[in-house]
Amino acid sequence: MGVLGGCGGGSSDVTLKLVAADYGDSAANSSKKYWADLVERYEADHPGVTVDVSVYSWTDVDRKVKEMVDAGDPPDLAQIGAYADYAADGMLYKAGDLLSIPVQADFLSHLSTAGEVNGIQYGMPFASSTRVLFYNKELFAEAGLTPPTTWEELAANAEALKAEGVKYPYALPLGPEEAQAETMQWLLSGEGGYTDLMGTYSIDSVENVETFNWLKNELVGKGLTGPVAPGRLNRAEAFAAFAAGDVGMLNGHPSLMEMAEKKGVEYGMVPTPGADGESRSTLGVADWMMAFSKNGHRDEVGDFLDFVYSEKNVVDFSREYNLLPVTNSASRTMSASAQDKDLKPFLDQLPTSELYPVGSTSWAAVSAKIKKEIGKAVAPGGSPAGVLGGIQATATRAESAE
C-alpha cells in the first residue's frame, strides 16, 4: 500500500491518531511503552507518517472514544472493548479495505467471525484470553483431592475443602464487575450459552436454567462458595483471595498466574469441568481494534495496521501482558516455544472458545442486565428461571431495537 499517497491537498505528511487501552498495572509496564516502541520503529521506516497514541485506563478508554465521536472528531484508530455500535452507525472502515490479504487471513478464524456485523468484518481482534479452572495445589494435597472434570467432582471437592476450613472452597464471582464472564463459563459447561446456533438470545433455555438450579442448590445452597454472597463478590476480590491462599478453586484467566506466583501460591490449571465431563468449550474474550473512516487516511491506516499485526509485534504484546495472540502465526510460534509454556493451557482452549455476542449492538444492554441481576438467581429464595427469564426479556427487547 502506498503510505505516502497523500491526502487532500497533496501533502505527504499525515498524522494518525490512535486511542488505546492500558493493559499494564503500573507505570513500569504501561501500554504506553509498548506503543512508543512500536511507533518509533514504524515512523523510522515511514518518514511521512506520524502516529499519535493516547493510552487510557480500561475504566476510561471506551468513554473517551465515545466523547471524541460525539464531538465529531473520532480518532483514526481505537483499540477498545467493543466495536459493534460504531460499525452499525456506518463509521468504520471494513477490515478488508485496510489490511493486506495475508494479514487479514492470519487472524484466528473464530475471532475474525466475532468481528463481523452482517457478515462483514469491521472489528479486528487485538488481544484475547480464555478461562480455565485454577486450583490451589497445597489445599488439594491437604484434603487428598484430584482436580475435577465434572460438576459432581467439583462439588465433592468443594465439600472436602470446606471440611478442611478453606474460606472459599469454590469462588463464584457473580458481582457486577464481570458477572457476564463467570455466567457464560458456567452456561457453556452446561451445554448452553447466551445464544442459540442461529445467534438468537436463548438466556432462559432449559439447559441454562438447569445450570443455575445446580449452582444454587449444589454449591451456593450448601455453603461451598465462601462468606461473601456470589452476587456481591467481584472477580478482582476473588482473584486476590486466591492469591492470598483462601480459595480452593475458581475460573481464571492468564493474569491470575502472575498474581498467584507473586504471593507464592502453588496452583494447577485444568479445563473447565462440565455437567458430564470436561466442558466442550470455554469462554473466550477479545478486545478490538477499529478504524474510523471520517478522516480518510485509509492507505496509511492500513499500512500501519499491517505492521501492528506482524508476527513479532503480536508475540511481543502477548508476552508482555500474559495475553493470547490473535493471529495464527503468533499462536504457532508461542505454542512451540518453551518460553510460553505457562500459557499453553489457555492457548489449547482458544480454538474452541466461544465469545460474547459482540457483533450485536444489543450486547451492551444485555451484559449490563446480567451484571446487575444474575447474582439474585443463586441467592436464598431466588428463582433461576425467573431471573434468567427477566434477562431474556431485556435481550429480546434490545434485539428487536437493533
Side-chain angles (χ1 to χ4, degrees):
M1 288 187 176
V3 261
L4 304 183
C7 279
S11 154
S12 64
D13 288 340
V14 167
T15 297
L16 300 178
K17 281 191 176 170
L18 164 62
V19 175
D22 197 347
Y23 289 83
D25 54 14
S26 66
N29 70 350
S30 166
S31 296
K32 286 177 185 172
K33 287 190 168 179
Y34 173 81
W35 286 112
D37 168 69
L38 185 146
V39 165
E40 186 180 331
R41 286 183 286 119
Y42 183 78
E43 288 177 348
D45 288 337
H46 301 81
V49 179
T50 303
V51 185
D52 175 8
V53 184
S54 305
V55 174
Y56 296 100
S57 75
W58 273 111
T59 318
D60 299 326
V61 70
D62 290 285
R63 178 175 53 81
K64 287 283 185 188
V65 171
K66 186 175 185 312
E67 285 169 0
M68 294 168 79
V69 170
D70 289 348
D73 186 26
D76 296 281
L77 290 154
Q79 185 273 299
I80 53 178
Y83 67 86
D85 284 351
Y86 300 124
D89 290 340
M91 295 181 176
L92 303 181
Y93 281 120
K94 299 171 185 172
D97 289 344
L98 298 167
L99 303 168
S100 64
I101 290 169
V103 170
Q104 190 177 8
D106 196 25
F107 288 131
L108 293 164
S109 62
H110 73 297
L111 297 180
S112 284
T113 304
E116 292 177 358
V117 174
N118 298 327
I120 296 168
Q121 186 181 357
Y122 296 93
M124 293 161 273
F126 184 73
S128 68
S129 70
T130 55
R131 302 291 203 273
V132 298
L133 185 78
F134 280 73
Y135 64 94
N136 181 311
K137 282 188 168 178
E138 190 179 328
L139 297 178
F140 265 59
E142 285 168 4
L145 301 174
T146 53
T149 58
T150 65
W151 289 357
E152 199 177 329
E153 290 171 7
L154 185 145
N157 282 359
E159 287 276 12
L161 291 163
K162 184 184 180 185
E164 293 281 329
V166 174
K167 192 171 176 185
Y168 292 91
Y170 178 87
L172 182 68
L174 295 177
E177 180 195 1
E178 209 195 28
Q180 81 284 6
E182 184 75 12
T183 298
M184 182 158 164
Q185 186 80 343
W186 276 99
L187 297 184
L188 290 171
S189 71
E191 304 284 321
Y194 287 138
T195 56
D196 61 21
L197 292 172
M198 304 303 293
T200 305
Y201 287 109
S202 57
I203 293 164
D204 59 351
S205 69
V206 172
E207 293 84 359
N208 292 347
V209 171
E210 281 179 2
T211 294
F212 265 81
N213 278 329
W214 187 89
L215 276 175
K216 180 176 187 287
N217 298 329
E218 302 302 322
L219 285 189
V220 184
K222 293 184 176 174
L224 303 179
T225 52
V228 179
R232 292 207 302 273
L233 182 67
N234 279 324
R235 187 201 68 195
E237 295 155 35
F239 278 20
F242 186 82
D246 290 334
V247 174
M249 301 171 276
L250 84 171
N251 288 321
H253 54 62
S255 68
L256 184 55
M257 297 190 299
E258 201 171 333
M259 285 178 70
E261 280 158 14
K262 277 182 182 164
K263 294 287 182 77
V265 169
E266 277 200 50
Y267 60 88
M269 299 182 291
V270 291
T272 309
D276 303 310
E278 187 183 306
S279 179
R280 65 184 162 79
S281 61
T282 187
L283 168 68
V285 177
D287 302 321
W288 302 95
M289 177 75 80
M290 64 213 70
F292 289 89
S293 55
K294 181 169 184 183
N295 303 330
H297 308 326
R298 187 185 86 176
D299 288 353
E300 292 84 358
V301 168
D303 191 82
F304 177 65
L305 286 174
D306 275 1
F307 182 72
V308 168
Y309 285 108
S310 67
E311 185 187 324
K312 175 194 172 359
N313 288 331
V314 174
V315 169
D316 286 352
F317 179 83
S318 304
R319 284 177 173 161
E320 176 66 34
Y321 297 108
N322 261 336
L323 288 160
L324 302 184
V326 294
T327 61
N328 290 296
S329 57
S331 293
R332 281 193 297 271
T333 296
M334 292 179 73
S335 289
S337 163
Q339 181 182 341
D340 304 304
K341 68 178 188 304
D342 285 355
L343 282 172
K344 190 139 178 33
F346 300 94
L347 280 163
D348 290 346
Q349 298 280 314
L350 192 54
T352 58
S353 64
E354 286 195 34
L355 282 79
Y356 303 128
V358 287
S360 301
T361 54
S362 55
W363 170 240
V366 176
S367 176
K369 183 77 169 172
I370 294 165
K371 289 178 182 182
K372 187 165 172 254
E373 301 290 338
I374 197 68
K376 296 173 185 169
V378 296
S383 159
V387 171
L388 292 171
I391 297 168
Q392 175 64 33
T394 296
T396 304
R397 281 196 301 276
E399 208 167 26
S400 60
E402 275 189 292

